[in-house]
Each structure stands twice: as structure tokens, then as C-alpha cells.
Amino acid sequence: MAGKQPKLRVVGRREVLPKPILEQAARDLGFELEFELLDTVKSLRRIVMQPESFDVYHQWHTVDLIWTARAIRPIDLGRIDEASRIRAAVSTRRDGGKAIGSLFEQLFLQPDGTLSSVPSDKLIMLPLLHGVDAFAYLPEVPQLYPPGTQASWGWLLDPRLHGRVAMMSDPVLGMIEAALAVEAAETVVFDDIANLSIEEIDLVADVLMHKKKIGHFRAIWSNYQEAARWMQRGGVLLQSMFSPALSLLRSQNVPVISGVPKEGYRGWHVDLCISSAAEGDRLEAAYAYLNWWMNGLGGAMVARQGYYFVLPDLVRPHLSEAEWAYWYEGRRAEVDLPDLYGEVSIRAGDLREGGSYYERMSRVRVWNTFMDEHAYLVRRWREFLEA
Amino acid sequence: MSQDPATTDRAIVAAVNKPYYQIVREMLADNIASGNLPAGTLLLASVVADRLQVSRPPVKRALELLIGDGIISEGPERGYVVGQAGSFKKIIRTNLHGLALDLPAELAENRGQPSWERIYDETETEVLNCIPFGTFQISESMMGEHFVVSRTVVREVLLRLDARHLITKDRSSHWLAGPFSARMLDEAHAVRRLMEPCALEDCAPRLQPGLLEEMRGRLGTARRTDAAPSPNQLDGLETDLHVTLLQPLRNRRLAEIVRLSQISLVINRLFARHIGVHDETDLLNEHRLVLDHLELKDVAGATAALRRHLDLDHQRARARLKVLSIVDAPSVPPYLSRVH
């Protein structure tokens, strides 16, 4: 193509944009890509206040907020490869065990500017990856409980694990996990665990602060590498865990077990948004990047760290039979399987905790969300971090 | 005693929550433009503050901003002078107290009040303008310095803010303001959707002749333009519907309740200024519906339309508050310090 191609600026969390993905995308697309790894509320602030500073954003439970600020522009579904498959997925996966809850409920832009699941020609985000998170633990932990005890979020607060527990510092996800733990450990029931009231936030924060002061928590980590280090040699037995940290620990031969909480998982999804300021060549490049993801290769690569792609059929041709069987079908690994970086992380004979794709996704108790009382939540969370 | 309806008006007008320095800045600019304050007039912050019966800091800030606007310049010895340096022959020392000025409603009724009352509105406005962005600690001593008032006066103001649920004391007895919670919006809305239509019903038969026509004119202008309205234009429209229309209200108790329930106006104003004004077609249509019913003397229709507008606007304000909660406060008075 004649003329100078602009550099496409992509912003996202480090877990979603590991290096091999960035390199593969840059090779395939033939124009320059500039990736910026941002994963704090500060970065969200930049997305909202300076849409001209990025072209594509891998959003993370904030689509309503960034759309309210009009920091992103609607995506023309007609320009997306595999648009028909996305439409079909929305109509078949809105409810029941195959549902991708909060994802499809706010996918389509309506003529009045609201977001809903009613199909239109405009998407507000291109659905990409999703998965479930919980805590993980070392083999010593189940020995503390009678045989056959099912894992519970309550373990995060269990006095039997005093001084050996770690949590994450992120207020949004951390508060959801803490609420799950408080519900399980303190036998309270929250009205809507995805949207806690001020009193409910207070209750969770008070429990956390008390636990912190008596020395229950060994660490509070801020990224998955840090989490892995705490479990590898920091004395942590049980902690919140992102799946890339599981892969990392397993490639280092740490016998970590991923919890299958009886209360259900914390679900998440990461999707692609285009900046409201993207125009002309940048907009073209943004669509090319979105469509690059639709070829399924990127989805296959992150499958090796445990993530699911919105259209699993497109991922399958890029995985070996054994990989597909382990990651998506929940069957035993027939051979050793590599992680995203080519290191062996799954041994032959391993079985993925929680089972197949649909089994795991149907056990979502709560989806990541920016709660209505976010500001208050942050205030109390900071008190917990500083306690 | 200022027990006349003007007090009520002042209370309602303050709900627009424009910062005081902004009000003073606009008022001075208007009076300079109209010739009330000719080029060369000496403006001393203390004298202007005394003339307007407001405290000094907002006047100082307004004067600084007017220098930036190129409307006034620094005086040769002290103070400020109307006009750019060199644009006038000599300094005119006018007794501002003897000069007829066009004062906006916010300032016109600002007299004869006890000292706490003089700084209450300003403090309330400044607090409301900060708490959507997070949690702030209030320093009593800094506040005293800032407004040049005693600790007693400061406490009187703070206790009143506390009574209105705008600030609280934390466990270590520090005054905390914020964060502006979704619940504050919900609770204010629940009261507002009941009371503001009542206030409108009370006022509808006593509206000033020609007022509706003017308002419909301003709204029509905004609706005819393709571009989104400017933040100022939007402020004007919101003031028309939620403040000016309710000025004939005689029940001071109702007026106070309505004013306190209008806190979402602050959210909308801050959002428009710091995030941007996007498509406001819905708001403009909702406003039109209220004014159309009033024009037809259909008071029941007008109150129903107003309630509908408040309900829809509440949802918009809730979504906007979420955005503001991740943004940094653009300007914070010295007696507030951010804690979270």
C-alpha cells in the first residue's frame, strides 16, 4: 500500500497481551503496532480522558463507563469477519449453562444510545476472551479439611490458614473475591454480590481489616508474577490466582491446585474497543487488528494460559488435538502440553480442575463489574490496604 | 432580617453550584463590558469582596482569571485595573459601594447574613464540586485561614454540612467529605421526584409573563443546532427549568428541600465540563415537553413531564458519576485534601 501507515496504538492488561501474541500480531498485520500494558484505575482514567492517546483498548469490565464518557466508538458489525458467528453466539448463549452473562447483555448499541442484548448493526465492543477465576492452593491445604471437602471461598478467611493466605490488591476484583469469602465464612447473604450496597461494603471491609490486623494475610499482590513468587517461595499456601500465574507456577514444577469453589467462580471477559478519536488510516488499522483476532490464532495462543475465545470453533484448528482436549474439553492431557512461551506447563495425565469449557463457564457466580458504589468501595479498600 | 422571598431565591439559585469565583468572574466581565466599570477603574480584591459581600479568595481567583482573559491588568502599585496596560490614560479610583452594578441573583441577595451563612454556600459548592472525584479530609484551621473567619464560624458551617449529609466525621474525628455515592443520588432523587413537581405546580400560575417564551426560545436554539450544546448553554437550560421556573415559590421549607435534592445538577455540570457534552437530544426533548405543557396551562401534564425528566436524568447522572469517580478532581480548595 502506498503512503505511510500509522502506528496502531493498542492498550491492554499484561495478562491479555503476552509478548508472543504481540509479536505474532505485528508479523501478520504488516503495519507497526505499539502495545501499552496498563492495568490500573489510573490507566482507565487515561482511556476516559484522552481517547486520542490510543486506538484500540482491550476493555475489562468497564464498557458501560467508557461508553458513558464516549471514549470509544461503535464497531460496525458489517466490517467484522465472522460477524454472523457472533450474532449466532449471542442468540444461543444469552442464558442457561452456555451463557456469557454480562458480556452479551450490553453488547449492542441501540438507536437511543443505550447498550443491550437486542441485536443491532453496531457493537460497542468486539467480544474476545473470557474465563473464570478463583483461588489456588498447595497440596497441604486440603489436608486441613476432612477428606472430600469441596473447596470454598471461605478458605481465604479460614483461621486454619492464618498467616499463609494472600489476596490481590486490585479493588474491583479484590472486593468481589472478598465478598465471596465473607459470604462463605460469615454466613451472610448479599442482595447482589455484583453490586454491593454501602453497608455490605462496610461489612466486607471490616472483616478484611480485622483479619489483616491479626496477621491473617501474608501478602497482598498486585500482578500475577508477584502472586506466583509468593506461592513459589513466599510461604503462601492459598491465594487469589489468575490463570497465567497457574501456568507460570506449573512450568516451575510447583504443585499448585486451582480451586473449584462450591460457591461458584468469578467470571471475566476482555473485549476489544475502538477509540472515539480513531479516524481514517488509524480506524482502518484498528479494524484490521480486530479482524486479526477473529482468525482464532491469538485465541489459541492464550488458550495455553487457560483463556477461552468467544468463538471456540475458530481456535480449534490452531490447537493440537491434545491441547483442545485438555483446555476446552476438560479431558486428561495425553501428552505434555506447552504454555504460551513453549515451556511444558501441563504434564501428560493432568486434568484441568473444573472440567470442560461449558462446565466451568456455567459455574460463574459473579461477573467482574464496576459496582455502582465504586468510589466508596475504593475508599474502604484503601483503608484495608493501609491497615 | 432577610425573611423575604429573596432568601428563598438565593437558596434555590445556589443549587446550580457554579463556583463563586466563576460567578464573580462573569459578573465583573459583564460589568466591564457594559461600561459600569470603565477602563482604568482600580479593583482591589478586598474592596470588591466587601462590595459583593463575599470572601476574598474567590474574588482574588476571579481577578487572576480576568487577567488571563485580557480584560484587566495588574495595577501599577497594587490591585488590578480594568483594561489592558496602556489602554487607559489614568487610574480611576471609584467608590465601588456608590456604583450601580448588575449583580447576578447569587450575589444580589448576599447581604445582611451572619458570617457562617456568607461562607456556607461557597463551602457547600466547593465540597460538592470535589466529592464526585473521591474522598477528602477537611482542615478546620485551613478553612478558617481561607475564609478569614474564626474556628467557631468554621464549625458552624461544618455542622450544617454534616446535618445535610454532605460530610461526616471518621473514627478518628476528622471531617471527611465524600465520596459522592450512588446512594446519595438515589436518595436525593427519591425526594426530588416527589417535591420538585409540587414546587412547579405551586409556581405555574405565578410565572412572570414572557418567561416561558424566553425559555422556549433558548431551548429551540439548542435543539435546532446539530452540534451538542456547550456546557454553558446546558447550564442555562438546566437553570431555566430547575431554578428559574421555581423562583415564585413562597414555601421556604419546600424550596430548601428541593434545593438540597438537586445535587445531581452538580454531577451533570462536572461531567459536561470535564468529560464532555455528548448527544443531549433526550434531555432537550424532555425539557421541551415540560415547557410545552406549561405553555398550554396544563399543569398536571407539566408536573408529569418533569417527573419523567427527573427519572431519566437520574439514570444518566448515575452513569456519569461512575465516570467521574475514576477521574482526578480538577481543582480543590486549600482546606480540602484528597485521602482516597
Side-chain angles (χ1 to χ4, degrees), chain A residues 39-172:
Chain A
D39 40 25
T40 59
V41 171
K42 265 203 199 86
S43 55
L44 183 56
R45 188 177 302 157
R46 205 195 75 189
I47 297 295
V48 164
M49 300 298 283
Q50 297 162 271
E52 68 287 350
S53 73
F54 72 96
D55 300 313
V56 174
Y57 177 52
H58 285 257
Q59 85 86 27
W60 175 260
H61 63 252
T62 50
V63 71
D64 58 333
L65 193 152
I66 54 181
W67 172 243
T68 301
R70 297 296 188 271
I72 51 173
R73 57 184 296 150
I75 295 168
D76 187 352
L77 192 50
R79 300 195 56 184
I80 298 298
D81 302 343
E82 312 297 345
S84 56
R85 284 182 199 245
I86 289 173
R87 276 189 217 275
V90 175
S91 62
T92 55
R93 300 189 58 186
R94 276 222 298 275
D95 36 46
K98 293 179 175 182
I100 314 183
S102 75
L103 175 55
F104 290 153
E105 284 156 18
Q106 46 184 355
L107 188 60
F108 293 105
L109 179 65
Q110 304 302 312
D112 66 354
T114 57
L115 306 179
S116 92
S117 60
V118 178
S120 74
D121 292 333
K122 303 273 183 207
L123 295 181
I124 201 59
M125 55 185 164
L126 181 62
L128 204 62
L129 306 170
H130 52 270
V132 291
D133 276 332
F135 46 88
Y137 47 88
L138 294 178
E140 291 96 310
V141 173
Q143 291 165 20
L144 300 169
Y145 299 93
T149 305
Q150 206 186 335
S152 163
W153 284 101
W155 288 4
L156 279 171
L157 299 171
D158 194 328
R160 278 172 278 204
L161 286 157
H162 183 89
R164 313 298 298 273
V165 176
M167 288 192 63
M168 68 171 101
S169 65
D170 181 279
V172 174

Side-chain angles (χ1 to χ4, degrees), chain B residues 24-71:
Chain B
V24 174
R25 176 191 187 179
E26 285 167 16
M27 169 264 155
L28 287 173
D30 289 349
N31 280 283
I32 290 167
S34 71
N36 284 341
L37 295 168
T41 307
L42 180 67
L43 298 172
L44 298 173
S46 56
V47 178
V48 175
D50 191 36
R51 172 67 176 86
L52 303 179
Q53 296 274 297
V54 297
S55 62
R56 245 183 264 181
V59 173
K60 272 196 189 146
R61 179 135 186 228
L63 291 167
E64 293 293 339
L65 289 167
L66 287 170
I67 288 192
D69 297 343
I71 298 176

Side-chain angles (χ1 to χ4, degrees), chain B residues 143-173:
Chain B
M143 210 177 134
E145 260 173 56
H146 179 71
F147 291 110
V148 205
V149 293
S150 69
R151 217 30 119 72
T152 321
V153 173
V154 167
R155 291 221 177 104
E156 219 164 324
V157 170
L158 293 176
L159 286 172
R160 281 178 167 85
L161 286 170
D162 187 22
R164 290 171 187 182
H165 306 288
L166 293 175
I167 63 173
T168 51
K169 267 198 170 183
D170 72 2
R171 282 165 219 193
S172 28
S173 248

Side-chain angles (χ1 to χ4, degrees), chain B residues 6-179:
Chain B
T7 322
T8 318
D9 297 351
R10 182 189 61 78
I12 300 178
V13 169
V16 208
N17 281 293
K18 211 185 270 178
Y20 261 52
Y21 71 84
Q22 199 60 36
I23 298 171
V24 174
R25 176 191 187 179
E26 285 167 16
M27 169 264 155
L28 287 173
D30 289 349
N31 280 283
I32 290 167
S34 71
N36 284 341
L37 295 168
T41 307
L42 180 67
L43 298 172
L44 298 173
S46 56
V47 178
V48 175
D50 191 36
R51 172 67 176 86
L52 303 179
Q53 296 274 297
V54 297
S55 62
R56 245 183 264 181
V59 173
K60 272 196 189 146
R61 179 135 186 228
L63 291 167
E64 293 293 339
L65 289 167
L66 287 170
I67 288 192
D69 297 343
I71 298 176
I72 65 170
S73 48
E74 281 193 53
E77 287 157 26
R78 60 197 185 115
Y80 306 82
V81 184
V82 174
Q84 304 248 25
S87 72
F88 47 86
K89 297 224 169 61
K90 61 178 179 104
I91 307 271
I92 311 167
R93 289 167 199 278
T94 319
N95 183 341
L96 292 184
H97 285 278
L99 200 64
L101 295 177
D102 302 321
L103 296 186
E106 294 95 322
L107 298 177
E109 292 106 19
N110 220 347
R111 47 205 67 251
Q113 307 160 271
S115 33
W116 73 263
E117 210 172 300
R118 221 176 302 152
I119 66 167
Y120 177 84
D121 286 348
E122 195 179 334
T123 315
E124 187 190 273
T125 300
E126 291 186 323
V127 165
L128 277 173
N129 275 308
C130 284
I131 59 176
F133 304 99
T135 310
F136 297 82
Q137 190 172 323
I138 303 173
S139 156
E140 288 187 10
S141 58
M142 294 282 281
M143 210 177 134
E145 260 173 56
H146 179 71
F147 291 110
V148 205
V149 293
S150 69
R151 217 30 119 72
T152 321
V153 173
V154 167
R155 291 221 177 104
E156 219 164 324
V157 170
L158 293 176
L159 286 172
R160 281 178 167 85
L161 286 170
D162 187 22
R164 290 171 187 182
H165 306 288
L166 293 175
I167 63 173
T168 51
K169 267 198 170 183
D170 72 2
R171 282 165 219 193
S172 28
S173 248
H174 294 124
W175 285 110
L176 282 188

Side-chain angles (χ1 to χ4, degrees), chain A residues 96-245:
Chain A
K98 293 179 175 182
I100 314 183
S102 75
L103 175 55
F104 290 153
E105 284 156 18
Q106 46 184 355
L107 188 60
F108 293 105
L109 179 65
Q110 304 302 312
D112 66 354
T114 57
L115 306 179
S116 92
S117 60
V118 178
S120 74
D121 292 333
K122 303 273 183 207
L123 295 181
I124 201 59
M125 55 185 164
L126 181 62
L128 204 62
L129 306 170
H130 52 270
V132 291
D133 276 332
F135 46 88
Y137 47 88
L138 294 178
E140 291 96 310
V141 173
Q143 291 165 20
L144 300 169
Y145 299 93
T149 305
Q150 206 186 335
S152 163
W153 284 101
W155 288 4
L156 279 171
L157 299 171
D158 194 328
R160 278 172 278 204
L161 286 157
H162 183 89
R164 313 298 298 273
V165 176
M167 288 192 63
M168 68 171 101
S169 65
D170 181 279
V172 174
L173 313 186
M175 184 57 87
I176 294 175
E177 296 203 342
L180 286 162
V182 168
E183 246 193 7
E186 308 277 320
T187 57
V188 290
V189 180
F190 297 123
D191 278 346
D192 178 3
I193 198 156
N195 202 9
L196 298 176
S197 69
I198 284 182
E199 287 77 12
E200 290 167 339
I201 292 168
D202 279 339
L203 172 66
V204 176
D206 290 346
V207 170
L208 288 181
M209 281 162 72
H210 169 70
K211 285 284 184 186
K212 191 174 179 203
K213 283 177 182 160
I214 62 171
H216 181 79
F217 300 113
R218 185 146 198 127
I220 292 165
W221 53 261
S222 47
N223 59 57
Y224 80 89
Q225 286 106 332
E226 218 181 287
R229 278 198 296 278
W230 277 107
M231 195 159 255
Q232 193 195 23
R233 52 169 191 271
V236 166
L237 287 181
L238 177 130
Q239 64 170 342
S240 312
M241 180 75 70
F242 292 162
S243 62

